[in-house]
């Protein structure tokens, strides 16, 4: 026989279920230690120093909902980066999807002043913004093989959450079309065309 909970107990249970996740998503300003770590991570990301702390910084910055986006956006404004740094930046970027980061990534993809490598990584990020839960294989973009299309893969659980950016697919398609129409670096045009086709 199933027992019924009084209405006030149900209300308390529901309130607790809602309150716990919200508390877990609190601002870094609620914890002085976390705030200090966020500031340090942002400094390491912006300056690249000290080098041994870069991997930690890109991992920790995803906890920094207030400070993190500006730090990542500043890094996307750099016109050249090595591939290991771009890999770390891309991983962090997929977890801090804010309008500020989206604008910085869009700018990097569009800018002819950025290296082809940065622009290709930026376009891969734009695909993941437009298609939450999916990412493209970077090797397929950087080292294409004849008669093989660019592969995509599913990011576990990512597509189940609401996209904090909303629906940006049309914006991404328009930006890729703009890049294709502008011409320039053949590798960049090829990648823009491939990603545009996947959307």
């Amino acid at each position: 026989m199933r027992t019924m909970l009084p209405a006030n107990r149900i209300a308390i249970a529901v309130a607790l279920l809602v309150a716990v996740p919200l508390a877990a998503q609190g601002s870094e300003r609620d914890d002085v230690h976390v705030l200090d770590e966020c500031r340090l991570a942002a400094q390491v990301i912006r300056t690249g120093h000290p080098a041994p702390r870069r991997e930690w910084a890109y991992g920790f910055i995803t906890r920094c909902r207030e400070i993190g986006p500006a730090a990542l956006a500043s890094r996307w404004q750099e016109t050249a980066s090595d591939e290991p740094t771009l890999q770390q930046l891309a991983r962090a970027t997929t977890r801090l999807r804010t309008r500020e980061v989206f604008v910085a990534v869009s700018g990097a993809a569009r800018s002819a002043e950025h290296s082809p490598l940065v622009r290709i990584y930026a376009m891969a990020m734009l695909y993941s913004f437009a298609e939450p839960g999916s990412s493209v294989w970077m090797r397929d973009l950087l080292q294409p093989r004849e008669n093989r299309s660019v592969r995509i893969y599913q990011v576990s659980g990512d597509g189940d959450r609401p996209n904090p950016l909303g629906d940006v697919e049309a914006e991404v398609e328009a930006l890729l079309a703009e890049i294709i129409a502008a011409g320039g670096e053949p590798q960049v045009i090829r990648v823009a065309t491939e990603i545009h086709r996947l959307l």
Side-chain angles (χ1 to χ4, degrees):
M1 180 177 173
R2 192 167 49 180
T3 57
M4 300 293 288
L5 286 173
N8 61 340
R9 285 192 181 176
I10 293 172
I12 291 169
V14 170
L16 285 172
L17 286 172
V18 171
V20 170
L22 290 177
Q25 296 174 5
S27 162
E28 58 260 29
R29 296 190 186 280
D30 298 335
D31 185 322
V32 174
H33 175 70
V34 173
L35 178 59
D36 287 344
E37 294 289 273
C38 285
R39 286 175 174 157
L40 177 58
Q43 176 185 326
V44 172
I45 287 169
R46 285 191 176 107
T47 66
H49 301 290
R53 300 221 66 183
R54 284 184 204 161
E55 186 174 350
W56 166 83
Y58 280 105
F60 194 88
I61 203 69
T62 61
R63 297 177 56 184
C64 309
R65 298 287 165 182
E66 295 183 20
I67 294 173
L72 295 182
S74 72
R75 194 64 192 180
W76 280 109
Q77 291 163 5
E78 297 290 325
T79 57
S81 289
D82 58 85
E83 191 167 1
T85 298
L86 284 168
Q87 289 171 351
Q88 293 173 331
L89 178 59
R91 278 194 294 272
T93 298
T94 59
R95 298 183 63 188
L96 275 181
R97 299 179 183 189
T98 67
R99 176 54 63 168
E100 182 177 11
V101 173
F102 177 78
V103 168
V105 172
S106 298
R110 179 184 286 115
S111 173
E113 294 179 5
H114 282 65
S115 71
L117 185 62
V118 171
R119 296 183 74 186
I120 289 168
Y121 265 86
M123 287 186 282
M125 289 296 93
L126 291 175
Y127 176 81
S128 72
F129 288 155
E131 298 288 338
S134 298
S135 289
V136 294
W137 285 96
M138 286 305 302
R139 285 289 149 235
D140 289 350
L141 296 180
L142 295 171
Q143 298 174 357
R145 295 183 186 176
E146 193 174 349
N147 300 321
R148 189 179 77 183
S149 299
V150 173
R151 295 167 292 176
I152 60 172
Y153 63 93
Q154 301 303 307
V155 180
S156 178
D158 199 37
D160 301 330
R161 294 191 293 269
N163 186 353
L165 288 171
D167 186 358
V168 294
E169 186 171 338
E171 284 183 76
V172 172
E173 285 183 335
L175 173 55
L176 293 170
E178 177 187 327
I179 292 169
I180 294 165
E185 176 64 44
Q187 189 180 20
V188 170
I189 305 309
R190 175 185 57 76
V191 169
T193 303
E194 287 281 1
I195 294 178
H196 192 275
R197 180 184 58 78
L198 290 171
L199 292 174

